[in-house]
Every structure is written in structure tokens, then in C-alpha cells.
Amino acid sequence: MQKAQGKQLLLNPEGSAEKLLIANLLLYYGINYAGTKNYCLSPTLKQGKAIYKTIVSAISSSGVIKSKNATDLTITLINDSTINFKSGEQRESLRGETCTGILCIDEAAYLSDDIFNIVKPWCDFHKSVMLIVSTPFVKNGFFWRYYNYGLNNQYNTTTIDWSDEKYADDMEFILSSSKLEEYRKILPKNVFKSDYLGLFIDDDGSVFTDFKKCIRHNEIKPSDRLYLGLDWGAGGDGDDTAISVLNQYGKQVYLDYFNKLSPTKQIDRIEKFLLQYKQQIVVVQTELNSLGTPLTDFLKERPQISTLKDKFRGFNTTNQSKNSLVQNLQLAFEQNDIEILDDAKQETELAAYTAEYNAKTRNVSYNAPIGMNDDICIALMLSYDAYKNGNVVGNYNISITKHTFGKNNNHNKGISYIGQ
């Protein structure tokens, strides 16, 4: 049995060290404590299935497995211990389980407090070990609380933080300083901060902090190829229709915004610009939400710009798609990949733009503060997205491997573990 436990799980190149830690501990408790019920909880079923496959692959020929069910994601060992895989997607159906071995919670920062409150009682009666592992996220939620419990030696909790200086040599071996510096340059600050420095990020605050260094005076040149972003307004006070235009170098060369105009007047004004530069236009990306779809259709049907129909691209704004736009623009400012015009209203919107973390849904949303608008911001993001997607010169993939360290052999001691 001990030989099976020592099988080389770490040979799996696809699994992060975090998930291999979970796999090893599930096997450790399942093998050494006969008849125990052990659990792995992940945010999604797909994530749990990956750990299930890792374990099955590692011990399939060892004789330790009595039975396995790939549908229910359950492994039964020959000593009648079980390893069960659950996901946060199951929500209320998670109630009523009892853990007698170990409960491993994977990517805990991405599970809601509601889910944690459902599964925490699984460990109460038998005082079972709970391993809570995650890449850090925001300073909110149960993972953040347990992380601090461990730092302060509260509630029988231990925190192991791989970003601690005492693990510096280990981290240098896994990820060199030069590679770390490379990621610092290509990733948004918050992503780099959480995924590579292992630090929690604030749950709200200003989003675009580096834009002022990118302000320049640019104008349209005859040789420019133009990428337009268009955010439609309702025409009322304060709600602008905004047009941002970038050239092939990522330089904003035109910005216009207006309100208090009827839909026809708005389209007239936009058409005038399109006609003037129609030979240079590469992409016209318009927001389609609300009035966006009919207004875009009306604009496209104008006979004089019929040759531009194929240049139009619609954008449906959801929380997820908007987040992608915001993060790309964040990175553009941080890496000096964009230049913007010196416009007071644009600067005000960028400076005020905020991120808000919803602890219940575990989502980050980006918006203008109450009482302000973000129309120019949206137009700028749409034009930058059009520019980036219209100038693809290659595809680059970054493979991120997460690493964790530390162990705990105390069967009755709760563990809060932060790792990557």
C-alpha cells in the first residue's frame, strides 16, 4: 500500500503542482485511513474531473483501486476508502455529505461563501482535515479570511504562502527572476500580482492608472489605416454617442462625442466622417446592446457608405466580454502600446473608471461611478480591440504552471493553504 502511495504523480506534465498536491493528499488519506470518505471540491466539474483522471492514471495498475465511476467521479479503494469529486456547480445538492478523511478545496478564491458554508459542515462531526488551496484573488471571501486566520494562528488554522521569502530559492528554481520579469512586462498588473507574486488584490478601485503617460497629439494622415470604435448613446443629457479612431500604430487620431441629437442626426454626423475617410477605414466596431443594433443597421444602410458594409463588426457587451476589453486596455496603457489624445472628458472618464467585486457572484464588474458615464471609455476600448484584432501578426500562448509547497501530517489539524 505504501508503495502505491509513492507512485510518481508528479510526472504528469499537465497538472499544476497545486492539483498534484491535492491528488497526493487524497491518496494519502484514502490509503492510510481505511474506510474514510475523502472529498475534492472544485469550482467546476471539469476541474474536478482533471484531478480524478490524474489519480486514476497514477494508480490504475497498482491494485489499489477496487472500483471507479467516471460518471459520478468516485474512486473506491480496496480498503473501502472513497475519493469523491464535487463541484460548486452542484450548489444545494452538495448538502448532507460527511467527510471522515480530508476535504480538499481547489481554487477556493473562486468559490462563493455560500458554497463554502454548505460544505464546511461535512468536516465538523469527525473533525476532518480541510485543505484550502488557491491562487489568491481579491481581499474578500472565505479564502481571504482563512488565509488571515492562519497568519494569526487562529481557529486551528495554518497558512502556507509560497510568496513568503523563505520559499524564494524554491521559486527561483521553478520560475527564474528573468522569466518573472518577462511576465511582469506582458501581463496586466492585477493578473501578475495575483498569479505570479501570490498577492491578493483590492476588491475595488481605479482601473486605468497609467494612461496619462500615453497622452499625445496625433492626427489622421493620408497613409493611416483606421480602426473605429463606436458606442451609441440614447441622445439625452450626459449620455454620449462616442467615436474613437486608432491608426495602424495604436495611436488615437480622432475622437468625437455628442448628445442631444436625434438618431437621424447622430447617423448623419457619423456618416460624414465615414465618407471623408472611407478609403482608409479597416474596421468599424459598434456596440450592439440596446439601441446599438437598430442604429448600426440604419447606418450601414446609408447608400453612400454601402461599400463599407463589410468593414462593420458588432460587439455584444456582457460582463465577461466587457472585462476582456477593459483588461486589454489596461495592458495597453501599462505597456505603452497605445497613445490617446489630450481630451479632458476622456481623461476624466478614464480616471474615474472603477472595478467592483461582487462577493456573492465572485465576479468583477467595470463601470463608471454612479452619476458618471463611460461612453468614451467604451468607444476607446472598442477601437483598441478593433486595432488589435485587425493587426494580428502572430499567435502567442503563455503556459502558466502553478506551484505549491508545504505539507502537514497532523490528521486533526485544519489547514489553510495559499499557493499557485
Side-chain angles (χ1 to χ4, degrees):
M1 300 292 278
Q2 291 298 317
K3 183 178 180 180
Q5 175 205 343
K7 194 169 180 66
Q8 293 295 316
L9 286 174
L10 293 176
L11 292 179
N12 179 2
E14 306 247 339
S16 68
E18 164 189 310
K19 289 174 173 52
L20 293 172
L21 170 70
I22 290 174
N24 275 295
L25 284 174
L26 288 169
L27 280 174
Y28 177 85
Y29 279 89
I31 290 172
N32 289 284
Y33 299 93
T36 54
K37 296 178 69 175
N38 304 278
Y39 291 86
C40 174
L41 176 71
S42 302
T44 68
L45 196 61
K46 182 179 180 180
Q47 291 168 311
K49 190 174 291 186
I51 302 176
Y52 168 87
K53 288 180 178 179
T54 295
I55 292 177
V56 170
S57 175
I59 64 172
S60 59
S61 60
S62 67
V64 174
I65 296 178
K66 182 177 181 180
S67 64
K68 62 182 186 295
N69 189 316
T71 302
D72 295 336
L73 295 183
T74 300
I75 301 170
T76 302
L77 306 179
I78 57 174
N79 64 358
D80 291 326
S81 288
T82 59
I83 302 173
N84 309 276
F85 296 85
K86 304 290 184 178
S87 81
E89 297 167 325
Q90 294 173 274
R91 302 193 66 81
E92 294 300 319
S93 62
L94 292 170
R95 296 186 185 278
E97 301 285 348
T98 300
C99 177
T100 59
I102 187 171
L103 167 61
C104 298
I105 302 180
D106 183 31
E107 293 295 359
Y110 299 90
L111 282 164
S112 69
D113 283 14
D114 291 343
I115 297 299
F116 179 70
N117 291 335
I118 291 174
V119 302
K120 186 176 181 295
W122 295 1
C123 301
D124 289 346
F125 186 79
H126 293 278
K127 297 181 173 59
S128 301
V129 171
M130 188 186 303
L131 175 73
I132 308 175
V133 186
S134 186
T135 302
F137 187 35
V138 296
K139 297 177 181 178
N140 201 309
F142 76 91
F143 183 61
W144 168 245
R145 292 197 302 275
Y146 273 77
Y147 169 76
N148 285 287
Y149 291 160
L151 293 180
N152 295 301
N153 297 312
Q154 294 177 301
Y155 306 112
N156 202 27
T157 301
T158 298
T159 288
I160 303 173
D161 185 344
W162 65 257
S163 66
D164 193 295
E165 288 186 3
K166 64 185 176 183
Y167 298 120
D169 290 341
D170 297 294
M171 291 310 302
E172 178 67 26
F173 174 76
I174 294 168
L175 186 66
S176 67
S177 298
S178 60
K179 197 68 176 178
L180 189 67
E181 185 60 28
E182 177 185 336
Y183 290 147
R184 184 193 302 274
K185 294 177 180 177
I186 64 176
L187 293 171
K189 284 184 178 179
N190 281 348
V191 174
F192 179 77
K193 185 177 180 180
S194 62
D195 288 14
Y196 284 86
L197 297 184
L199 303 175
F200 287 87
I201 59 178
D202 294 327
D203 59 1
D204 59 77
S206 180
V207 173
F208 302 115
T209 56
D210 295 327
F211 69 87
K212 290 187 177 180
K213 67 181 182 181
C214 300
I215 294 173
R216 300 286 190 278
H217 176 73
N218 293 309
E219 56 187 22
I220 298 176
K221 298 177 182 178
S223 60
D224 281 345
R225 300 192 301 276
L226 305 179
Y227 302 84
L228 280 69
L230 172 57
D231 181 57
W232 295 100
D237 291 339
D239 187 16
D240 291 321
T241 290
I243 309 166
S244 170
V245 182
L246 269 61
N247 67 12
Q248 71 271 30
Y249 305 110
K251 299 178 179 181
Q252 189 180 45
V253 290
Y254 181 83
L255 177 65
D256 188 22
Y257 45 87
F258 44 88
N259 55 44
K260 298 183 181 180
L261 294 181
S262 67
T264 300
K265 292 291 186 182
Q266 292 186 52
I267 292 173
D268 288 343
R269 185 159 171 165
I270 297 166
E271 181 188 29
K272 182 178 179 180
F273 176 84
L274 296 179
L275 285 173
Q276 183 177 355
Y277 296 102
K278 68 178 182 178
Q279 300 303 323
Q280 297 175 246
I281 292 172
V282 180
V283 176
V284 180
Q285 181 158 241
T286 69
E287 200 230 0
L288 297 181
N289 295 61
S290 186
L291 295 173
T293 296
L295 289 175
T296 298
D297 290 340
F298 290 148
L299 177 61
K300 288 165 61 178
E301 293 304 318
R302 288 289 176 98
Q304 288 185 283
I305 61 169
S306 59
T307 56
L308 291 175
K309 272 189 176 182
D310 293 339
K311 308 290 178 109
F312 277 77
R313 187 169 69 198
F315 188 90
N316 286 295
T317 304
T318 64
N319 190 59
Q320 183 176 357
S321 65
K322 188 177 183 180
N323 288 5
S324 179
L325 287 181
V326 172
Q327 290 164 9
N328 287 338
L329 188 59
Q330 279 181 305
L331 191 59
F333 284 132
E334 291 169 13
Q335 297 183 352
N336 296 305
D337 191 44
I338 189 174
E339 292 181 5
I340 61 172
L341 294 172
D342 186 1
D343 181 273
K345 192 167 184 178
Q346 177 170 251
E347 292 170 33
T348 298
E349 287 195 10
L350 288 169
Y353 211 62
T354 59
E356 183 176 352
Y357 174 69
N358 187 314
K360 186 173 184 179
T361 64
R362 315 295 288 174
N363 289 324
V364 176
S365 59
Y366 298 97
N367 291 289
I370 295 174
M372 297 186 67
N373 293 296
D374 61 358
D375 311 298
I376 300 173
C377 278
I378 296 296
L380 175 61
M381 288 187 276
L382 290 173
S383 62
Y384 181 74
D385 181 70
Y387 151 71
K388 291 299 287 186
N389 288 323
N391 283 282
V392 177
V393 295
N395 294 313
Y396 302 88
N397 294 304
I398 298 172
S399 177
I400 299 175
T401 304
K402 299 180 179 179
H403 305 285
T404 49
F405 304 93
K407 62 182 180 179
N408 191 294
N409 296 320
N410 185 349
H411 182 63
N412 293 313
K413 189 171 185 179
I415 305 172
S416 172
Y417 185 95
I418 174 173
Q420 178 186 338

